[in-house]
Amino acid sequence: MCMHLTAVVAHPDDADIFCGGTLAKHAARGDDVTVLYMTRGEYGGFDTTEEEIATVREEEAIAAAETLGAEATFLDFEDGRITYSLENRLELVDALRELRPDVVLTHFRDDMHPDHRTTSRLVTDAYYMCSLPLLETDADPWEPENVYYFGKPTSSFEPETYIDVTDYQSTKEDAVLEHESQVEWLEEHGGIDAEFDGLVEGMRAEARVLGRTRGVTFAEGFVPLHKSADDYLG
């Protein structure tokens, strides 16, 4: 049975780095996969304008999503300036109702980046409001089955659901490399995002560590919102 996954991420490279293998796996088996980008990542660059960076990063995000077998769509939040408000929560409600995903993937609540933390909270609360029949937005009510959170090794994130992505690790890495401007940015920006030093190698090592806990070569880890349905993602 075909299902629909939507990854809601703060920045254009987040989905590929943190759940790209899972997205590619579902796309390969015929599921509908969408990446919803909150921002175009316009703070992620050197010696140029926000508009120029946003244009490059949007193009890279579209190419990366295509590599995974996913559709790309964008909201218009500002990089580094995503705030929690009722208005922004309702924008997420309408976006999820429009996309109608069975499963939503997003950032874990404990994360160094403020955009990641705020996105996590907005998505979680929008998920709860999506099905309310008296809450009117442009799209009709919809109820996703579950939300799964991904996280950084530097946070308190401890996975409970593991997805074997052994056959899709190379696809994930190809998608990450589509973000050519960001591979350079993250590696040179290592004073803050130290876990991104040697981006692809570090990402591969993390997937290998998670895989060992499951007896597979590579894995990605998630925390489900509803524990009773934590096998739905697999």
Side-chain angles (χ1 to χ4, degrees), residues 107-111 116-118 120-121 149-150 156 223:
H107 301 275
F108 189 61
R109 64 182 178 273
D110 180 11
D111 193 290
H116 294 185
R117 295 195 302 270
T118 306
S120 180
R121 186 181 175 195
Y149 303 96
F150 49 78
S156 60
V223 173

Side-chain angles (χ1 to χ4, degrees), residues 164-179:
D164 179 3
V165 297
T166 301
D167 293 337
Y168 303 95
Q169 180 67 24
S170 62
T171 303
K172 170 179 179 169
E173 293 177 13
D174 288 344
V176 170
L177 291 174
E178 291 288 354
H179 299 278

Side-chain angles (χ1 to χ4, degrees), residues 106-124 147-152 155-158 160 223-225 227:
T106 196
H107 301 275
F108 189 61
R109 64 182 178 273
D110 180 11
D111 193 290
M112 181 170 61
H113 200 303
D115 282 350
H116 294 185
R117 295 195 302 270
T118 306
T119 296
S120 180
R121 186 181 175 195
L122 284 170
V123 172
T124 302
V147 179
Y148 291 83
Y149 303 96
F150 49 78
K152 291 185 178 183
S155 76
S156 60
F157 177 72
E158 295 183 5
E160 300 173 22
V223 173
L225 177 60
K227 312 301 182 184

Side-chain angles (χ1 to χ4, degrees), residues 27-106:
R29 76 181 193 186
D31 291 334
D32 294 325
V33 178
T34 302
V35 183
L36 177 62
Y37 303 98
M38 298 281 283
T39 79
R40 288 166 173 79
E42 60 270 20
Y43 273 173
F46 304 99
D47 301 325
T48 185
T49 67
E50 291 184 31
E51 292 77 12
E52 290 170 337
I53 295 169
T55 297
V56 170
R57 297 205 65 187
E58 180 174 340
E59 292 171 352
E60 291 174 344
I62 292 170
E66 289 176 351
T67 299
L68 297 177
E71 295 289 331
T73 186
F74 296 84
L75 296 177
D76 291 318
F77 292 92
E78 295 181 309
D79 188 14
R81 292 152 286 183
I82 302 175
T83 58
Y84 188 88
S85 67
L86 177 59
E87 179 182 4
N88 290 347
R89 189 200 314 164
L90 292 177
E91 185 167 349
L92 261 294
V93 168
D94 196 48
L96 291 176
R97 285 177 168 184
E98 182 70 29
L99 291 168
R100 301 174 72 82
D102 298 296
V103 168
V104 179
L105 312 180
T106 196

